[in-house]
Amino acid sequence: MAKYYDVHPDNPQSRTIRQVVDLIRGDGLIAYPTDSCFALGCQLGNKEGMDRIREIRHLDSGHHFTLVCRDFAQLGQFVHLNNAVFRAVKAATPGSYTFILPATKEVPRRLLHPKKKTVGVRIPEHTAAQALLTELGEPLLSSTLLLPGDDEPMTQGWEIKERLDHVVDAVVDSGECGTVPTTVVDFSDGEPEVVRVGAGDPSRFA
């Protein structure tokens, strides 16, 4: 049965955030809010957690997982950016964008796209998500919480707890956070290609 954590949207309670992070470090899988919609998240080295995300979402091997990072310095440890890409990504973060970029050796091989050796990265502009990332001290391996057969991600923490009670270890709820996923920009060839239009304005990468 999943634990339910009610987190204040503006001033997340430190004790609660520590409890969630302890659970993540113990190989737990959580549902948590971001600035675009809820996401599933686990620790970077948690292979079982990654497999559980695949199972919950019915994902194939070509799916890009996302490393949700605290800040730009952390993001830079996990992906390669040339000067032009650096400027473009820095100008759009934090925000509702996911960037697909060539991965560094810091990223476990199983997280990489099998052919391109790329990974998704993003920096959310969301207080509760940022509190979790700060306490954890590393990115969260994440995927949008969009269930098979659903047209939109779920927005209510209690509904997520109801539906995923036996497949996630915790639900972090800090109020509604929207139903529109991030805009995905693929920089794997050096030039921006918008592969999914979402919450972030795509025109800056047109």
Side-chain angles (χ1 to χ4, degrees), residues 176-194:
E176 286 196 34
C177 59
T179 60
V180 184
T182 55
T183 292
V184 178
V185 186
D186 189 341
F187 270 110
S188 49
D189 296 322
E191 293 295 323
E193 180 192 351
V194 177

Side-chain angles (χ1 to χ4, degrees), residues 108-172:
R109 186 185 294 268
R110 65 177 171 273
L111 300 187
L112 305 180
H113 186 280
K115 290 185 181 152
K116 294 180 168 184
K117 308 302 180 212
T118 49
V119 71
V121 286
R122 68 169 301 222
I123 303 170
E125 194 169 15
H126 188 279
T127 305
Q130 280 288 345
L132 287 172
L133 293 165
T134 300
E135 181 67 27
L136 184 61
E138 62 179 90
L140 267 171
L141 169 63
S142 295
S143 183
T144 303
L145 179 41
L146 180 62
L147 296 184
D150 285 5
D151 294 327
E152 288 189 336
M154 287 182 283
T155 61
Q156 306 280 354
W158 61 266
E159 184 193 2
I160 293 166
K161 164 116 170 79
E162 227 168 58
R163 287 184 65 183
L164 300 183
D165 207 18
H166 299 291
V167 291
V168 300
D169 300 301
V171 176
V172 179

Side-chain angles (χ1 to χ4, degrees), residues 32-203:
Y32 71 101
T34 76
D35 50 350
S36 55
C37 46
F38 272 89
L40 294 165
C42 65
Q43 201 164 19
L44 203 52
N46 184 352
K47 183 182 180 303
E48 188 205 350
M50 179 178 157
D51 291 341
R52 288 165 70 190
I53 292 173
R54 280 195 198 284
E55 202 173 307
I56 290 167
R57 290 206 53 205
H58 296 184
L59 300 172
D60 61 29
S61 62
H63 177 77
H64 265 110
F65 280 91
T66 300
L67 302 183
V68 178
C69 301
R70 179 184 68 240
D71 54 27
F72 201 79
Q74 191 178 74
L75 180 148
Q77 296 171 32
F78 294 92
V79 289
H80 294 290
L81 306 115
N82 65 29
N83 286 342
V85 175
F86 177 97
R87 285 194 297 272
V89 172
K90 186 113 171 40
T93 55
S96 300
Y97 295 94
T98 298
F99 300 100
I100 297 170
L101 289 155
T104 67
K105 288 186 167 54
E106 299 287 320
V107 181
R109 186 185 294 268
R110 65 177 171 273
L111 300 187
L112 305 180
H113 186 280
K115 290 185 181 152
K116 294 180 168 184
K117 308 302 180 212
T118 49
V119 71
V121 286
R122 68 169 301 222
I123 303 170
E125 194 169 15
H126 188 279
T127 305
Q130 280 288 345
L132 287 172
L133 293 165
T134 300
E135 181 67 27
L136 184 61
E138 62 179 90
L140 267 171
L141 169 63
S142 295
S143 183
T144 303
L145 179 41
L146 180 62
L147 296 184
D150 285 5
D151 294 327
E152 288 189 336
M154 287 182 283
T155 61
Q156 306 280 354
W158 61 266
E159 184 193 2
I160 293 166
K161 164 116 170 79
E162 227 168 58
R163 287 184 65 183
L164 300 183
D165 207 18
H166 299 291
V167 291
V168 300
D169 300 301
V171 176
V172 179
D173 190 0
S174 67
E176 286 196 34
C177 59
T179 60
V180 184
T182 55
T183 292
V184 178
V185 186
D186 189 341
F187 270 110
S188 49
D189 296 322
E191 293 295 323
E193 180 192 351
V194 177
V195 293
R196 180 179 75 192
V197 175
D201 178 9
S203 65

